[in-house]
Amino acid sequence: MALQLNLNKSAKTLRLSLDKAGVAADIKAELIFDMDVSGSFEHEHEEGTTSKLVARLVPYGMVLDPDGKVDVFSFSNGKAHVHHVGTVTPDDCENYIVRNVIDKVPGWKGGTTYSYVLERNLQHFGWLPGEETGGFLSRFFGISREAPVLEKKRSVVIFVTDGDNDPSDEDRTMRVLEESEKRGDQVYFLFMGACEHTVEFKFLDTIAKRFKNTGVVIVRDLDSFVDLSDEELNAQLLGSELLQWLRS
């Protein structure tokens, strides 16, 4: 990696930022990193920029996540193209996307829909019931099993996309977030729109204004963003709303 990281130092800097913002040291939240693998984002994945982004977020897992790991999901268009890649830790973060995602995940170089991966995130941390287990034949013969009920976990989702949501999925995305809000799910969604071109991310702005547990960061130069100092990166990601959510 061109960027030489000292992850322990980055974690200490993050902890200091949280201390200054009044976030107690015992406050924890499970972390998810959602990565858009649509065709328009291919270049950033292949050149390693998004792998650097994953590495820059590892200290957030070190400081906030109870097990020190960040769960990574990939998504493009539709339910079938949501995939739990695994977890990322300080020991295996280098070139993570290059090694684990490119040409390996369902929906690689597909389209872009937001709702299905958000729904899967909520299932993963127990805020929604999971899918029934068993294939078609099992269901046909009436022997499908309900998915186990998972423990509900306070969580932060960092959602990275380079494009607007497909308009056909906007209503569904709003419904997923509205129902989550009504249930009182303890989840904060931080949406990052990363595109140097003309994408305006109007839908992300709509989401951020509509819900108190959502924020948006627009990044026009991802290469420069991943090379920010720890202090500069934290200043962009730790918005006042997210800090308030962590303190509550």
Side-chain angles (χ1 to χ4, degrees):
M1 295 171 62
L3 177 66
Q4 297 300 313
L5 288 178
N6 181 330
L7 295 174
N8 288 323
K9 178 178 178 294
S10 297
K12 290 178 180 178
T13 302
L14 173 60
R15 185 62 260 170
L16 181 60
S17 295
L18 293 171
D19 289 343
K20 289 180 177 178
V23 179
D26 61 349
I27 295 297
K28 297 294 180 182
E30 303 274 348
L31 261 72
I32 276 181
F33 182 78
D34 288 335
M35 176 58 75
D36 181 346
V37 294
S38 60
S40 56
F41 220 8
E42 178 185 11
H43 177 68
E44 286 79 0
H45 297 320
E46 292 185 340
E47 69 178 4
T49 308
T50 52
S51 287
K52 291 180 182 179
L53 177 60
V54 170
R56 296 305 308 272
L57 295 174
V58 163
Y60 283 75
M62 296 167 67
V63 170
L64 290 172
D65 197 292
D67 64 7
K69 301 176 181 179
V70 179
D71 282 274
V72 179
F73 284 79
S74 62
F75 72 96
S76 58
N77 56 309
K79 183 177 180 179
H81 293 164
V82 175
H83 179 66
H84 184 211
V85 180
T87 58
V88 60
T89 67
D91 294 331
D92 70 347
C93 65
E94 188 165 352
N95 292 322
Y96 187 88
I97 299 297
V98 173
R99 291 185 292 106
N100 297 289
V101 172
I102 294 175
D103 285 325
K104 293 180 179 179
V105 297
W108 172 247
K109 296 198 295 185
T112 307
T113 54
Y114 297 171
S115 69
Y116 296 96
V117 68
L118 297 175
E119 200 168 53
R120 181 75 177 276
N121 296 158
L122 293 168
Q123 291 172 343
H124 187 76
F125 285 139
W127 302 106
L128 277 177
E131 302 290 336
E132 289 185 349
T133 59
F136 170 76
L137 289 177
S138 296
R139 293 192 298 272
F140 181 81
F141 288 108
I143 57 174
S144 62
R145 300 177 180 86
E146 291 185 0
V149 177
L150 301 177
E151 178 188 355
K152 294 178 180 178
K153 297 179 179 179
R154 181 177 169 88
S155 44
V156 174
V157 174
I158 302 175
F159 180 106
V160 179
T161 181
D162 79 321
D164 277 324
N165 194 17
D166 189 307
S168 66
D169 187 61
E170 290 185 359
D171 286 346
R172 192 177 194 278
T173 297
M174 293 295 284
R175 186 166 66 252
V176 169
L177 294 172
E178 286 170 355
E179 291 174 354
S180 176
E181 182 181 61
K182 289 178 181 177
R183 287 192 303 270
D185 299 347
Q186 296 180 44
V187 183
Y188 189 91
F189 298 94
L190 178 59
F191 292 92
M192 181 184 296
C195 183
E196 63 184 13
H197 303 299
T198 58
V199 178
E200 296 184 16
F201 296 110
K202 290 183 178 180
F203 186 60
L204 289 186
D205 284 334
T206 298
I207 289 172
K209 291 174 182 176
R210 166 66 180 80
F211 301 101
K212 293 182 178 179
N213 65 330
T214 61
V216 62
V217 176
I218 304 300
V219 177
R220 292 302 179 189
D221 186 344
L222 192 57
D223 287 302
S224 295
F225 183 83
V226 298
D227 283 334
L228 291 174
S229 69
D230 292 328
E231 292 83 359
E232 291 169 329
L233 188 81
N234 294 337
Q236 293 213 30
L237 296 180
L238 295 174
S240 58
E241 190 178 68
L242 173 55
L243 291 169
Q244 178 59 37
W245 184 88
L246 287 169
R247 290 191 295 262
S248 63

